[in-house]
Amino acid sequence: MTVYYVNSATGSDRNGGTGQNSAFATLSKVESLKLKPGDSVLLAKGSVFNEQFDIKYSGSESAPIKIGSYGTGAAPVIHSSGDGIHSLYASNIVIENLKISNVGGSGIYGGSVTNWTVRDVEVAKTGLSENAGAVTFRSSKNVTVEDSKISGVKGDGFWIEKVNGVKLLNNTVTTANGSTADAVQVNDSSNILIKGNHLDQTHASSPKGVIALVRATNAVVEDNVLTGGGFGISAPAGKNVAIRDNDISGYHGYSWSFAVGLGDQGNARDYDISGNHIHDGAWGVAVSGPSGASYTRTNIKVHDNVFDDLSQAALKVDRPASGSFYSNTIETGTKATSISPAIADAHTFTVKGNHTVANVETALASPVAKTAAVTEASADPAVVAVHDNLKIFTDTGDAHRGNLLENDSSDNDTLVLRRFGDETVGKHGLTLTGEYGDIHVDREGNYAYTLDETKLPDHSGHVSESFSYGINDGSSHHSDGDTLTVFIHLDGLLS
């Protein structure tokens, strides 16, 4: 297990490369080596490499080959007229703590690779030909990309095609440009988890959308914030697809624009669309397809979502389909459903138990609405969230601290705070401004509430405010939610 160092400023390809003071100068020198399982290639921070880096050899599951960085300063940068990092057939590779920008093709391209992890990598200004995804994997197995950032690229942010085992976790994609560009495109793949990402196509020069999930099998899309684009999530064909607990907004531009759409490119079976906040767009959930096509759309469940500020209906079903639309919250002024008469007469798509409210923000903050929003999760005993209270009698200006998860439980003894208020809790936590103070939370459930006395009423007694939160057991399968209530006793503060 050898560590090789590469420094574009002070290194030399005549060096041995195994020490920081004897670093190589170029990536091509590393390519001439036969890397072995457990080897690492570390690029000096501050270095700039104007060449494509080809990874030719494989690690093992217990000893992957790692490509990373060392030293202090800005992350090392790879520029190239081709791809930034390119590999065919290599397995068990970890790439981390790098920046790839101004490349002609993909920032990272993997074809027929297995067991790859990409983390903390920044990719910008890729795909000068507009024909490549910033991060592309094809005909591969077990690919994870996490905590990475893609911005200002030409072409799709992610292009994933024919991959079994996909995890896109806690990444940020902003402005994937091009006539056919989406923030994320996943085609003909299986066992997919897209979770905790912030994907923003608001300023992209693309007529397409945020996530295109085409012909997926066993896919979960959850806890993401999706903004802009012609659509939020297009899942036109697939089997066993769950789309839940996402915030989807700002999808405009077309009469057909939708937050979630399915059924127009093949058979769609066993879809569960739940717990999403869908707002500021055209259609909510669209079950549709081309006229005359014989696609089947079966067991489509749309429930426990919140819909507001939509120019069209929360649900559209205009092609034969079976499923249900229930326990959703819909703001006054948003049409609940648009179901073609033939489908309504066939009674294959049921509508029941939905709620209309005058103001969604007020409803989301209320314990009753919160309970309704987590009906399905609350019935799951694998994770149990318990109401939390913070009582403030005196204030010194310091933050009042606690942990939301201390009184919660899960069958596997793992708990993660996923949502707080109406937001996803990212890797750096989340700060919200409340009615009487600011609160910061992290994924471990720790919170710090700082009171703003300028917001307090000038009278005795007490005031309170509540924050909803959602937790899970670290998997995509079991979750629950409850609230934190902050009680502020004014007698002690104003005396």
Side-chain angles (χ1 to χ4, degrees):
M1 295 184 181
T2 305
V3 179
Y4 295 99
Y5 298 87
V6 192
N7 189 317
S8 65
T10 65
S12 170
D13 286 351
R14 294 187 297 271
N15 289 336
T18 55
Q20 295 185 25
N21 295 326
S22 59
F24 296 137
T26 67
L27 300 176
S28 58
K29 177 61 178 180
V30 177
E31 292 174 15
S32 70
L33 305 174
K34 185 174 182 178
L35 297 177
K36 299 176 181 178
D39 286 353
S40 295
V41 178
L42 302 182
L43 313 184
K45 290 186 176 180
S47 286
V48 177
F49 301 94
N50 295 303
E51 54 185 319
Q52 177 174 298
F53 186 18
D54 289 332
I55 299 176
K56 303 176 181 179
Y57 299 100
S58 297
S60 65
E61 289 192 39
S62 60
I65 292 173
K66 296 183 179 181
I67 314 298
S69 62
Y70 73 97
T72 59
V77 181
I78 297 175
H79 302 309
S80 169
S81 59
D83 296 330
I85 294 175
H86 181 97
S87 185
L88 295 174
Y89 306 111
S91 61
N92 301 300
I93 303 294
V94 175
I95 300 172
E96 57 190 356
N97 303 318
L98 306 176
K99 181 175 181 179
I100 303 168
S101 69
N102 295 98
V103 299
S106 298
I108 298 174
Y109 179 94
S112 300
V113 300
T114 302
N115 296 341
W116 274 52
T117 297
V118 177
R119 66 168 68 99
D120 290 311
V121 171
E122 182 179 353
V123 181
K125 299 179 181 178
T126 66
L128 300 181
S129 65
E130 296 191 11
N131 292 325
V135 175
T136 297
F137 287 94
R138 288 189 167 102
S139 302
S140 298
K141 183 177 180 180
N142 296 338
V143 171
T144 298
V145 184
E146 58 189 359
D147 299 318
S148 294
K149 180 180 179 181
I150 298 172
S151 63
V153 297
K154 292 184 178 179
D156 298 273
F158 288 95
W159 179 276
I160 309 293
E161 182 179 6
K162 297 181 180 179
V163 177
N164 179 9
V166 179
K167 292 183 179 179
L168 305 180
L169 309 174
N170 308 315
N171 302 291
T172 300
V173 179
T174 53
T175 318
N177 297 297
S179 59
T180 61
D182 303 299
V184 175
Q185 175 97 30
V186 181
N187 289 351
D188 302 298
S189 297
S190 58
N191 299 311
I192 302 158
L193 177 60
I194 303 174
K195 184 173 183 177
N197 302 283
H198 190 167
L199 310 175
D200 189 349
Q201 287 289 78
T202 302
H203 301 293
S205 58
S206 169
K208 294 197 71 187
V210 183
I211 296 178
L213 188 66
V214 184
R215 295 176 296 274
T217 301
N218 299 331
V220 175
V221 182
E222 69 176 354
D223 287 333
N224 303 285
V225 177
L226 312 179
T227 310
F231 57 80
I233 303 172
S234 176
K239 177 182 177 182
N240 193 23
V241 176
I243 299 171
R244 59 198 182 210
D245 299 328
N246 303 285
D247 188 293
I248 308 172
S249 68
Y251 52 96
H252 295 291
Y254 305 95
S255 60
W256 53 260
S257 290
F258 50 78
V260 179
L262 59 99
D264 64 337
Q265 290 186 26
N267 297 335
R269 190 175 82 186
D270 300 333
Y271 279 51
D272 187 276
I273 302 167
S274 61
N276 304 286
H277 184 194
I278 294 171
H279 55 112
D280 185 25
W283 298 96
V285 176
V287 183
S288 189
S291 191
S294 59
Y295 303 144
T296 61
R297 307 163 190 89
T298 57
N299 194 28
I300 312 300
K301 297 179 180 178
V302 183
H303 61 98
D304 296 295
N305 302 282
V306 175
F307 299 92
D308 65 281
D309 194 19
L310 302 182
S311 61
Q312 304 293 336
L315 173 72
K316 176 173 78 169
V317 184
D318 64 0
R319 295 292 183 269
S322 68
S324 53
F325 183 76
Y326 63 95
S327 299
N328 298 285
T329 299
I330 304 161
E331 190 173 68
T332 301
T334 294
K335 184 178 179 181
T337 63
S338 174
I339 301 176
S340 70
I343 298 167
D345 291 344
H347 302 292
T348 59
F349 214 102
T350 61
V351 177
K352 62 181 180 180
N354 299 292
H355 312 282
T356 300
V357 297
N359 185 287
V360 159
E361 296 302 322
T362 301
L364 287 173
S366 73
V368 172
K370 180 61 185 175
T371 300
V374 298
T375 299
E376 184 182 38
S378 298
D380 182 356
V383 173
V384 177
V386 178
H387 187 87
D388 294 84
N389 295 314
L390 169 64
K391 297 181 180 180
I392 300 175
F393 294 92
T394 60
D395 186 57
T396 63
D398 296 329
H400 301 265
R401 301 180 184 276
N403 188 286
L404 296 169
L405 308 182
E406 283 183 342
N407 57 349
D408 301 336
S409 62
S410 72
D411 281 357
N412 69 355
D413 296 323
T414 299
L415 286 170
V416 181
L417 182 65
R418 289 302 185 190
R419 297 185 68 83
F420 192 80
D422 227 6
E423 304 287 339
T424 298
V425 181
K427 65 176 182 177
H428 300 301
L430 171 70
T431 300
L432 292 181
T433 298
E435 188 174 358
Y436 303 112
D438 297 332
I439 186 166
H440 180 81
V441 298
D442 61 28
R443 288 181 175 173
E444 288 70 43
N446 300 303
Y447 67 81
Y449 181 92
T450 303
L451 192 64
D452 185 349
E453 293 198 25
T454 64
K455 295 182 177 180
L456 296 178
D458 187 18
H459 61 71
S460 61
H462 75 270
V463 294
S464 66
E465 61 177 317
S466 294
F467 302 90
S468 62
Y469 69 88
I471 63 175
N472 70 19
D473 62 353
S475 73
S476 61
H477 305 293
H478 306 292
S479 60
D480 197 9
D482 217 296
T483 56
L484 165 69
T485 302
V486 181
F487 295 95
I488 305 164
H489 294 260
L490 300 173
D491 295 343
L493 295 172
L494 300 175
S495 59

